[in-house]
Amino acid sequence: MKKLIAGNWKMNGTLESARALATGIVEALHADRDVLERCDFVLCPPFLHLVAVRAIVDGAASPITLGAQDCAATPDGAHTGDISAAMLKDFGCGYVILGHSERRQNHGETNQTIAAKARLAHENGLCVILCVGEKEDERAAGGELDVVENQLVQSLPPTANPENTVVAYEPVWAIGTGKTATPDDVRAMHRFLRRKLGECLAHPDKVRILYGGSVKPDNAAELFRVENVDGALIGGASLKVDQYMAIAHGA
Ligand code: PEP
């Protein structure tokens, strides 16, 4: 399967810098047919920058799909400040990131909330990038498999299938820290996730499992060579055209 190269821009940038970043990536991709044969691309800007980025990446032949960084856990109504899955689909998004550790930590999101969001995303035709990952102390205590299994099993709604679900393994201690899981750790966790996916849905071999956590140009190729690594969810390095493209070349 093609590798998925997903950029999570988080809460960074201005309208102008978002336009410049999207333009740089579109131009780099158009000049590089080879990388398009091997990778699919998703960009997840902040909500307010989606309109500007859509104007740049849009078009039937676009190699880039738009994604959002969250959606609401309820379909519509009196939820000030929320954006629904239906709105994202209507707008033209194909993906939504759910269960990112920053939302679990900063917004108290539980597996149950994430499952409700994921179900609505699926019902509205979005593909969910479901993030799972252990904290440093949980790994130190040898609990990483239990933590990740609970997150996966409890956050995946019954609507999940390989077309509408991507899993991103993101060890929390590796996000934005410059620390990366070793290829052996990634291999073990991705194999485990593949096995657990088999207990949750049909055709688990067709689900893309991404690695995320300080993916950079200099470690991407090594990570992409690990079995069951089907792409990357990239934070910091997705904010620079050359780094994002260099990571794609690692595939
Ligand atoms: C992320 O937040 O999803 C992420 C992987 O960030 P970074 O690449 O900056 O570690």
Side-chain angles (χ1 to χ4, degrees):
M1 76 179 90
K2 277 182 163 186
K3 302 277 192 223
L4 185 67
I5 311 295
N8 175 11
W9 293 2
K10 308 195 187 187
M11 194 175 70
N12 288 299
T14 60
L15 208 43
E16 197 183 331
S17 70
R19 282 199 188 102
L21 181 53
T23 304
I25 292 170
V26 166
E27 285 175 1
L29 287 176
H30 281 304
D32 190 348
R33 306 312 298 179
D34 190 40
V35 82
L36 295 176
E37 308 268 303
R38 286 173 287 116
C39 305
D40 292 322
F41 295 88
V42 176
L43 297 181
C44 304
F47 285 128
L48 276 178
H49 297 167
L50 274 167
V51 173
V53 174
R54 181 181 63 179
I56 293 160
V57 308
D58 226 5
S62 176
I64 299 172
T65 307
L66 271 184
Q69 298 174 19
D70 186 39
C71 71
T74 40
D76 56 17
H79 300 283
T80 304
D82 283 349
I83 303 278
S84 72
M87 289 171 179
L88 294 177
K89 183 66 183 178
D90 183 44
F91 173 80
C93 284
Y95 287 80
V96 60
I97 299 172
L98 293 177
H100 193 283
S101 60
E102 287 153 13
R103 294 214 56 92
R104 292 178 190 263
Q105 273 173 8
N106 304 344
H107 298 268
E109 289 196 6
T110 62
N111 291 328
Q112 288 65 38
T113 316
I114 295 157
K117 292 180 175 196
R119 185 187 200 113
L120 283 167
H122 289 157
E123 287 171 357
N124 284 283
L126 294 170
C127 182
V128 171
I129 301 179
L130 174 66
C131 302
V132 296
E134 80 286 354
K135 299 190 187 117
E136 194 153 32
D137 57 337
E138 293 167 335
R139 176 167 280 269
E144 69 274 15
L145 297 183
D146 286 344
V147 170
V148 165
E149 177 175 359
N150 282 337
Q151 291 175 339
L152 181 80
V153 171
Q154 293 177 19
S155 309
L156 262 190
T159 44
N161 64 47
E163 282 76 49
N164 68 17
T165 303
V166 171
V167 175
Y169 170 54
E170 298 208 307
V172 179
W173 47 270
I175 295 179
T177 59
K179 296 183 196 168
T180 320
T182 66
D184 282 348
D185 290 341
V186 175
R187 183 177 298 106
M189 185 59 84
H190 281 228
R191 187 190 301 131
F192 178 73
L193 281 167
R194 182 80 68 204
R195 188 153 57 78
K196 288 294 149 190
L197 279 167
E199 296 170 15
C200 303
L201 44 72
H203 308 296
D205 48 311
K206 296 203 164 70
V207 177
R208 289 206 263 211
I209 306 178
L210 313 184
Y211 171 78
S214 297
V215 177
K216 305 281 178 218
D218 60 357
N219 60 21
E222 186 180 35
L223 288 163
F224 286 138
R225 270 197 297 273
V226 174
E227 307 91 87
N228 293 308
V229 173
D230 306 311
L233 180 55
I234 310 155
S238 72
L239 297 171
K240 298 264 180 340
V241 177
D242 55 340
Q243 294 198 19
Y244 183 71
M245 291 305 300
I247 290 170
H249 282 122

